[in-house]
Amino acid sequence: MGDSNEPILKVKDLGVVFNDIKLGLIALESITFDVKESEFVSIIGPSGCGKSTLFKLLADLIDSDGINAGISGNIEVLGHSPEYARKNRKLGVVFQKPTLLEWRDIRSNVALPLEIMRVNRSEIKQRVDELLAMVGLESYGSFRPSQLSGGMQQRISIARALAYDPDILLMDEPFSALDEIKRREMNDSLLRIWKQTGKTILFVTHSIQEAVYLSERIIVLSERPGKVKDILEIPMKYPRDKYLDSDQYFDLQNKVRHALSK
């Protein structure tokens, strides 16, 4: 889907060294990649390779002074720093756990970012209606988070992350707690949302199948210290479900598996 040649996110020679209790621990080393506008890119790597650290840096969720980390290199989001992008609502973030507020119903959870922005009530109502319809949960607005399944809660998290119309959606293993059937359903829902919104999506996962099913490109990280081992193109057309039993789908999974192991 990504058809622009201009990168919307650029990472150049990024390195991270933790200098506190993990004295001299190199988490990331010489990470370089870019993501184009409206592109779907996944990051995959073994446990402990620095995926979460990279995600937090991109989302401006790491206080480098607070953790005493040495950070080198550069990250640009729409030509600015991650901090600028976050403060100016260019980034939407979806975490591994939904982190919804139990004392708010579903509509109020989705509306929260708009309330913080002091958007007027009629605009909030219209936007929340649109988002709940987009994630297929328009009839659940009055429910509490605990009354919904894990997959439904994560769909609400996606709706909330899209509330203020960010340019980039950052997702950190959002479906890892779901069973295989629900995970595939969420993959299909996410692809539908991506197609409908045209957002740029950077998706962190540890699942080879998921990365191949979702992505236009896959960034493969090495074991710690995390380095970019390979960046693989996924040439399958969308929708992807018609490829599930194809040799191409299995060959691409093996290609990612080989890149991870070499």
Side-chain angles (χ1 to χ4, degrees):
M1 185 171 172
D3 53 9
S4 170
N5 290 322
E6 183 62 29
I8 195 172
L9 188 155
K10 300 178 183 179
V11 179
K12 179 69 173 177
D13 294 328
L14 181 66
V16 177
V17 180
F18 290 101
N19 295 313
D20 52 0
I21 59 172
K22 302 175 182 178
L23 184 62
L25 174 65
I26 303 173
L28 298 171
E29 186 173 25
S30 301
I31 299 288
T32 297
F33 66 88
D34 58 41
V35 179
K36 297 173 184 177
E37 185 176 2
S38 299
E39 193 175 18
F40 199 124
V41 175
S42 288
I43 297 175
I44 192 168
S47 297
C49 73
K51 296 190 300 295
S52 293
T53 298
L54 175 58
F55 179 87
K56 290 174 182 177
L57 285 168
L58 295 171
D60 190 42
L61 298 174
I62 281 186
D63 178 0
S64 58
D65 294 329
I67 63 171
N68 193 24
I71 299 175
S72 58
N74 189 52
I75 300 174
E76 286 188 12
V77 183
L78 295 161
H80 299 279
S81 68
E83 180 183 14
Y84 176 94
R86 176 182 59 79
K87 289 182 177 179
N88 287 273
R89 302 181 179 91
K90 303 296 184 183
L91 299 172
V93 181
V94 180
F95 298 100
Q96 189 170 353
K97 295 182 180 179
T99 64
L100 300 174
L101 303 177
E102 182 60 29
W103 60 90
R104 281 177 165 253
D105 64 19
I106 295 309
R107 290 190 64 87
S108 297
N109 268 281
V110 176
L112 182 59
L114 302 174
E115 292 174 7
I116 293 172
M117 294 169 60
R118 300 185 182 278
V119 176
N120 69 61
R121 289 185 179 181
S122 61
E123 290 182 24
I124 290 177
K125 182 182 184 304
Q126 179 179 351
R127 182 64 176 156
V128 171
D129 286 344
E130 292 171 354
L131 290 164
L132 289 180
M134 182 186 297
V135 299
L137 294 174
E138 57 266 53
S139 61
Y140 290 86
S142 62
F143 283 59
R144 299 288 177 177
S146 61
Q147 296 175 298
L148 303 185
S149 69
M152 295 167 78
Q153 290 183 36
Q154 203 59 291
R155 276 192 273 168
I156 296 302
S157 294
I158 295 171
R160 184 178 59 185
L162 292 171
Y164 48 80
D165 198 25
D167 295 270
I168 301 174
L169 192 60
L170 301 175
M171 309 185 75
D172 186 14
E173 301 191 30
F175 311 139
S176 60
L178 304 179
D179 62 54
E180 185 176 352
I181 294 173
K182 290 298 181 184
R183 190 166 186 157
R184 179 56 50 78
E185 289 176 1
M186 289 300 300
N187 288 167
D188 288 332
S189 292
L190 179 59
L191 288 175
R192 178 177 50 78
I193 291 167
W194 173 54
K195 183 177 180 180
Q196 186 173 340
T197 63
K199 297 300 179 186
T200 303
I201 297 181
L202 187 63
F203 188 96
V204 176
T205 181
H206 62 261
S207 168
I208 294 173
Q209 290 186 18
E210 184 170 61
V212 172
Y213 190 78
L214 291 174
S215 314
E216 294 180 293
R217 289 191 299 142
I218 300 174
I219 298 166
V220 181
L221 298 185
S222 68
E223 293 183 354
R224 190 173 64 222
K227 302 177 183 179
V228 176
K229 295 181 72 174
D230 210 341
I231 299 179
L232 303 174
E233 300 279 346
I234 304 299
M236 293 188 302
K237 295 181 180 180
Y238 295 93
R240 294 269 168 90
D241 54 356
K242 61 185 178 182
Y243 293 99
L244 286 175
D245 296 321
S246 70
D247 290 339
Q248 185 182 18
Y249 184 54
F250 290 108
D251 288 346
L252 286 166
Q253 290 181 59
N254 286 332
K255 191 174 182 179
V256 176
R257 192 172 289 108
H258 176 71
L260 284 166
S261 62
K262 69 181 181 182

